[in-house]
PDB file of all heavy atoms in Angstrom:
ATOM      1  N   PHE L 599      99.889  82.536 112.411  1.00 98.00           N
ATOM      2  CA  PHE L 599      99.611  81.108 112.246  1.00 98.00           C
ATOM      3  C   PHE L 599      98.471  80.946 111.238  1.00 98.00           C
ATOM      4  O   PHE L 599      97.717  81.880 110.972  1.00 98.00           O
ATOM      5  CB  PHE L 599      99.260  80.460 113.586  1.00 98.00           C
ATOM      6  CG  PHE L 599      98.333  81.297 114.438  1.00 98.00           C
ATOM      7  CD1 PHE L 599      96.966  81.264 114.225  1.00 98.00           C
ATOM      8  CD2 PHE L 599      98.834  82.131 115.433  1.00 98.00           C
ATOM      9  CE1 PHE L 599      96.108  82.035 114.997  1.00 98.00           C
ATOM     10  CE2 PHE L 599      97.972  82.921 116.211  1.00 98.00           C
ATOM     11  CZ  PHE L 599      96.617  82.868 115.993  1.00 98.00           C
ATOM     12  N   LEU L 605      93.455  73.996 112.730  1.00 98.00           N
ATOM     13  CA  LEU L 605      92.224  73.325 113.160  1.00 98.00           C
ATOM     14  C   LEU L 605      92.087  71.967 112.470  1.00 98.00           C
ATOM     15  O   LEU L 605      91.669  70.988 113.092  1.00 98.00           O
ATOM     16  CB  LEU L 605      91.006  74.202 112.868  1.00 98.00           C
ATOM     17  CG  LEU L 605      90.945  75.525 113.638  1.00 98.00           C
ATOM     18  CD1 LEU L 605      89.638  76.257 113.323  1.00 98.00           C
ATOM     19  CD2 LEU L 605      91.068  75.307 115.141  1.00 98.00           C
ATOM     20  N   LEU L 608      94.073  69.238 114.102  1.00 97.00           N
ATOM     21  CA  LEU L 608      93.566  68.746 115.391  1.00 97.00           C
ATOM     22  C   LEU L 608      92.723  67.486 115.249  1.00 97.00           C
ATOM     23  O   LEU L 608      92.596  66.707 116.186  1.00 97.00           O
ATOM     24  CB  LEU L 608      92.718  69.814 116.076  1.00 97.00           C
ATOM     25  CG  LEU L 608      93.376  70.725 117.094  1.00 97.00           C
ATOM     26  CD1 LEU L 608      92.314  71.518 117.810  1.00 97.00           C
ATOM     27  CD2 LEU L 608      94.232  69.957 118.090  1.00 97.00           C
ATOM     28  N   ALA L 619      85.994  73.115 118.632  1.00 98.00           N
ATOM     29  CA  ALA L 619      85.633  74.478 119.025  1.00 98.00           C
ATOM     30  C   ALA L 619      86.911  75.297 119.105  1.00 98.00           C
ATOM     31  O   ALA L 619      87.943  74.792 119.550  1.00 98.00           O
ATOM     32  CB  ALA L 619      84.936  74.484 120.380  1.00 98.00           C
ATOM     33  N   SER L 620      86.841  76.548 118.656  1.00 98.00           N
ATOM     34  CA  SER L 620      88.052  77.359 118.681  1.00 98.00           C
ATOM     35  C   SER L 620      87.738  78.823 118.937  1.00 98.00           C
ATOM     36  O   SER L 620      86.596  79.267 118.791  1.00 98.00           O
ATOM     37  CB  SER L 620      88.815  77.229 117.363  1.00 98.00           C
ATOM     38  OG  SER L 620      88.113  77.872 116.320  1.00 98.00           O
ATOM     39  N   PHE L 621      88.773  79.539 119.325  1.00 98.00           N
ATOM     40  CA  PHE L 621      88.667  80.983 119.515  1.00 98.00           C
ATOM     41  C   PHE L 621      89.934  81.628 118.976  1.00 98.00           C
ATOM     42  O   PHE L 621      91.035  81.170 119.270  1.00 98.00           O
ATOM     43  CB  PHE L 621      88.506  81.330 121.001  1.00 98.00           C
ATOM     44  CG  PHE L 621      88.304  82.804 121.241  1.00 98.00           C
ATOM     45  CD1 PHE L 621      87.040  83.371 121.148  1.00 98.00           C
ATOM     46  CD2 PHE L 621      89.388  83.628 121.517  1.00 98.00           C
ATOM     47  CE1 PHE L 621      86.846  84.731 121.348  1.00 98.00           C
ATOM     48  CE2 PHE L 621      89.203  85.000 121.723  1.00 98.00           C
ATOM     49  CZ  PHE L 621      87.925  85.549 121.635  1.00 98.00           C
ATOM     50  N   VAL L 622      89.748  82.661 118.163  1.00 98.00           N
ATOM     51  CA  VAL L 622      90.867  83.450 117.658  1.00 98.00           C
ATOM     52  C   VAL L 622      90.744  84.846 118.250  1.00 98.00           C
ATOM     53  O   VAL L 622      89.713  85.505 118.076  1.00 98.00           O
ATOM     54  CB  VAL L 622      90.839  83.538 116.118  1.00 98.00           C
ATOM     55  CG1 VAL L 622      92.000  84.397 115.618  1.00 98.00           C
ATOM     56  CG2 VAL L 622      90.897  82.153 115.489  1.00 98.00           C
ATOM     57  N   GLY L 623      91.748  85.281 118.984  1.00 98.00           N
ATOM     58  CA  GLY L 623      91.760  86.624 119.554  1.00 98.00           C
ATOM     59  C   GLY L 623      92.514  87.568 118.635  1.00 98.00           C
ATOM     60  O   GLY L 623      93.556  87.202 118.081  1.00 98.00           O
ATOM     61  N   VAL L 666      94.086  69.359 121.839  1.00 98.00           N
ATOM     62  CA  VAL L 666      94.092  70.699 122.424  1.00 98.00           C
ATOM     63  C   VAL L 666      95.218  71.484 121.760  1.00 98.00           C
ATOM     64  O   VAL L 666      96.300  70.943 121.540  1.00 98.00           O
ATOM     65  CB  VAL L 666      94.348  70.668 123.951  1.00 98.00           C
ATOM     66  CG1 VAL L 666      94.400  72.078 124.517  1.00 98.00           C
ATOM     67  CG2 VAL L 666      93.292  69.835 124.659  1.00 98.00           C
ATOM     68  N   LEU L 667      94.949  72.728 121.440  1.00 98.00           N
ATOM     69  CA  LEU L 667      95.980  73.562 120.827  1.00 98.00           C
ATOM     70  C   LEU L 667      95.889  74.968 121.392  1.00 98.00           C
ATOM     71  O   LEU L 667      94.794  75.545 121.472  1.00 98.00           O
ATOM     72  CB  LEU L 667      95.775  73.614 119.309  1.00 98.00           C
ATOM     73  CG  LEU L 667      96.708  74.563 118.539  1.00 98.00           C
ATOM     74  CD1 LEU L 667      98.152  74.089 118.616  1.00 98.00           C
ATOM     75  CD2 LEU L 667      96.265  74.680 117.084  1.00 98.00           C
ATOM     76  N   ILE L 668      97.031  75.492 121.802  1.00 98.00           N
ATOM     77  CA  ILE L 668      97.115  76.913 122.164  1.00 98.00           C
ATOM     78  C   ILE L 668      98.316  77.498 121.436  1.00 98.00           C
ATOM     79  O   ILE L 668      99.440  77.004 121.583  1.00 98.00           O
ATOM     80  CB  ILE L 668      97.313  77.129 123.685  1.00 98.00           C
ATOM     81  CG1 ILE L 668      96.207  76.451 124.499  1.00 98.00           C
ATOM     82  CG2 ILE L 668      97.361  78.626 124.001  1.00 98.00           C
ATOM     83  CD1 ILE L 668      96.450  76.508 126.017  1.00 98.00           C
ATOM     84  N   ILE L 669      98.063  78.528 120.626  1.00 98.00           N
ATOM     85  CA  ILE L 669      99.152  79.283 119.998  1.00 98.00           C
ATOM     86  C   ILE L 669      98.997  80.729 120.454  1.00 98.00           C
ATOM     87  O   ILE L 669      97.913  81.297 120.335  1.00 98.00           O
ATOM     88  CB  ILE L 669      99.100  79.240 118.459  1.00 98.00           C
ATOM     89  CG1 ILE L 669      99.073  77.797 117.947  1.00 98.00           C
ATOM     90  CG2 ILE L 669     100.288  79.992 117.859  1.00 98.00           C
ATOM     91  CD1 ILE L 669      98.955  77.692 116.427  1.00 98.00           C
ATOM     92  N   VAL L 682      96.018  85.154 119.397  1.00 98.00           N
ATOM     93  CA  VAL L 682      95.959  83.862 120.068  1.00 98.00           C
ATOM     94  C   VAL L 682      94.954  82.951 119.372  1.00 98.00           C
ATOM     95  O   VAL L 682      93.959  83.427 118.815  1.00 98.00           O
ATOM     96  CB  VAL L 682      95.572  84.062 121.563  1.00 98.00           C
ATOM     97  CG1 VAL L 682      94.195  84.689 121.714  1.00 98.00           C
ATOM     98  CG2 VAL L 682      95.625  82.772 122.358  1.00 98.00           C
ATOM     99  N   LEU L 683      95.260  81.671 119.382  1.00 98.00           N
ATOM    100  CA  LEU L 683      94.309  80.648 118.932  1.00 98.00           C
ATOM    101  C   LEU L 683      94.224  79.599 120.028  1.00 98.00           C
ATOM    102  O   LEU L 683      95.252  79.075 120.475  1.00 98.00           O
ATOM    103  CB  LEU L 683      94.795  79.982 117.633  1.00 98.00           C
ATOM    104  CG  LEU L 683      94.037  78.726 117.189  1.00 98.00           C
ATOM    105  CD1 LEU L 683      92.589  79.052 116.820  1.00 98.00           C
ATOM    106  CD2 LEU L 683      94.737  78.069 115.991  1.00 98.00           C
ATOM    107  N   ALA L 684      93.004  79.316 120.477  1.00 98.00           N
ATOM    108  CA  ALA L 684      92.776  78.199 121.399  1.00 98.00           C
ATOM    109  C   ALA L 684      91.760  77.285 120.737  1.00 98.00           C
ATOM    110  O   ALA L 684      90.768  77.767 120.169  1.00 98.00           O
ATOM    111  CB  ALA L 684      92.247  78.704 122.737  1.00 98.00           C
ATOM    112  N   ALA L 685      92.004  75.986 120.778  1.00 98.00           N
ATOM    113  CA  ALA L 685      91.090  75.055 120.108  1.00 98.00           C
ATOM    114  C   ALA L 685      91.064  73.724 120.839  1.00 98.00           C
ATOM    115  O   ALA L 685      92.076  73.278 121.379  1.00 98.00           O
ATOM    116  CB  ALA L 685      91.514  74.842 118.654  1.00 98.00           C
ATOM    117  N   CYS L 686      89.870  73.111 120.867  1.00 98.00           N
ATOM    118  CA  CYS L 686      89.699  71.800 121.500  1.00 98.00           C
ATOM    119  C   CYS L 686      88.883  70.899 120.590  1.00 98.00           C
ATOM    120  O   CYS L 686      87.817  71.302 120.112  1.00 98.00           O
ATOM    121  CB  CYS L 686      88.955  71.944 122.828  1.00 98.00           C
ATOM    122  SG  CYS L 686      89.940  72.764 124.083  1.00 98.00           S
ATOM    123  N   ALA L 697      85.687  73.449 127.170  1.00 98.00           N
ATOM    124  CA  ALA L 697      87.139  73.387 127.360  1.00 98.00           C
ATOM    125  C   ALA L 697      87.828  74.554 126.652  1.00 98.00           C
ATOM    126  O   ALA L 697      88.778  75.141 127.180  1.00 98.00           O
ATOM    127  CB  ALA L 697      87.679  72.054 126.840  1.00 98.00           C
ATOM    128  N   CYS L 698      87.336  74.932 125.478  1.00 98.00           N
ATOM    129  CA  CYS L 698      87.962  76.031 124.737  1.00 98.00           C
ATOM    130  C   CYS L 698      87.771  77.357 125.478  1.00 98.00           C
ATOM    131  O   CYS L 698      88.696  78.171 125.587  1.00 98.00           O
ATOM    132  CB  CYS L 698      87.378  76.100 123.338  1.00 98.00           C
ATOM    133  SG  CYS L 698      88.161  77.338 122.294  1.00 98.00           S
ATOM    134  N   TRP L 699      86.572  77.542 125.987  1.00 98.00           N
ATOM    135  CA  TRP L 699      86.275  78.771 126.748  1.00 98.00           C
ATOM    136  C   TRP L 699      87.142  78.827 128.019  1.00 98.00           C
ATOM    137  O   TRP L 699      87.692  79.877 128.370  1.00 98.00           O
ATOM    138  CB  TRP L 699      84.780  78.784 127.089  1.00 98.00           C
ATOM    139  CG  TRP L 699      84.213  80.116 127.394  1.00 98.00           C
ATOM    140  CD1 TRP L 699      84.883  81.272 127.706  1.00 98.00           C
ATOM    141  CD2 TRP L 699      82.815  80.446 127.426  1.00 98.00           C
ATOM    142  NE1 TRP L 699      83.987  82.292 127.928  1.00 98.00           N
ATOM    143  CE2 TRP L 699      82.716  81.815 127.768  1.00 98.00           C
ATOM    144  CE3 TRP L 699      81.642  79.717 127.209  1.00 98.00           C
ATOM    145  CZ2 TRP L 699      81.492  82.461 127.898  1.00 98.00           C
ATOM    146  CZ3 TRP L 699      80.422  80.362 127.339  1.00 98.00           C
ATOM    147  CH2 TRP L 699      80.347  81.718 127.670  1.00 98.00           C
ATOM    148  N   LEU L 701      90.086  77.413 128.410  1.00 98.00           N
ATOM    149  CA  LEU L 701      91.471  77.741 128.008  1.00 98.00           C
ATOM    150  C   LEU L 701      91.643  79.252 127.898  1.00 98.00           C
ATOM    151  O   LEU L 701      92.613  79.824 128.414  1.00 98.00           O
ATOM    152  CB  LEU L 701      91.818  77.122 126.650  1.00 98.00           C
ATOM    153  CG  LEU L 701      91.944  75.605 126.533  1.00 98.00           C
ATOM    154  CD1 LEU L 701      92.290  75.230 125.085  1.00 98.00           C
ATOM    155  CD2 LEU L 701      92.999  75.048 127.481  1.00 98.00           C
ATOM    156  N   MET L 702      90.701  79.906 127.229  1.00 98.00           N
ATOM    157  CA  MET L 702      90.817  81.360 127.039  1.00 98.00           C
ATOM    158  C   MET L 702      90.728  82.106 128.370  1.00 98.00           C
ATOM    159  O   MET L 702      91.517  83.020 128.625  1.00 98.00           O
ATOM    160  CB  MET L 702      89.742  81.859 126.074  1.00 98.00           C
ATOM    161  CG  MET L 702      90.025  81.555 124.613  1.00 98.00           C
ATOM    162  SD  MET L 702      91.649  82.168 124.041  1.00 98.00           S
ATOM    163  CE  MET L 702      91.537  83.908 124.479  1.00 98.00           C
ATOM    164  N   LEU L 705      93.988  81.342 130.422  1.00 97.00           N
ATOM    165  CA  LEU L 705      95.249  81.914 129.912  1.00 97.00           C
ATOM    166  C   LEU L 705      95.261  83.441 130.062  1.00 97.00           C
ATOM    167  O   LEU L 705      96.325  84.041 130.263  1.00 97.00           O
ATOM    168  CB  LEU L 705      95.546  81.435 128.487  1.00 97.00           C
ATOM    169  CG  LEU L 705      94.910  82.033 127.246  1.00 97.00           C
ATOM    170  CD1 LEU L 705      95.569  83.346 126.836  1.00 97.00           C
ATOM    171  CD2 LEU L 705      95.018  81.045 126.099  1.00 97.00           C
TER     172      LEU L 705
ATOM    173  N   PHE M1082      81.614  83.371 122.287  1.00 98.00           N
ATOM    174  CA  PHE M1082      81.474  81.970 122.699  1.00 98.00           C
ATOM    175  C   PHE M1082      80.006  81.594 122.884  1.00 98.00           C
ATOM    176  O   PHE M1082      79.540  80.570 122.363  1.00 98.00           O
ATOM    177  CB  PHE M1082      82.207  81.719 124.024  1.00 98.00           C
ATOM    178  CG  PHE M1082      83.628  81.272 123.875  1.00 98.00           C
ATOM    179  CD1 PHE M1082      84.677  82.080 124.304  1.00 98.00           C
ATOM    180  CD2 PHE M1082      83.932  80.043 123.318  1.00 98.00           C
ATOM    181  CE1 PHE M1082      85.989  81.662 124.179  1.00 98.00           C
ATOM    182  CE2 PHE M1082      85.249  79.614 123.197  1.00 98.00           C
ATOM    183  CZ  PHE M1082      86.284  80.437 123.623  1.00 98.00           C
TER     184      PHE M1082
END
Side-chain angles (χ1 to χ4, degrees):
Chain L
F599 43 83
L605 296 184
L608 265 190
S620 70
F621 184 84
V622 179
V666 178
L667 174 66
I668 304 174
I669 305 177
V682 62
L683 169 65
C686 291
C698 184
W699 202 344
L701 292 180
M702 284 305 305
L705 81 79
Chain M
F1082 269 114

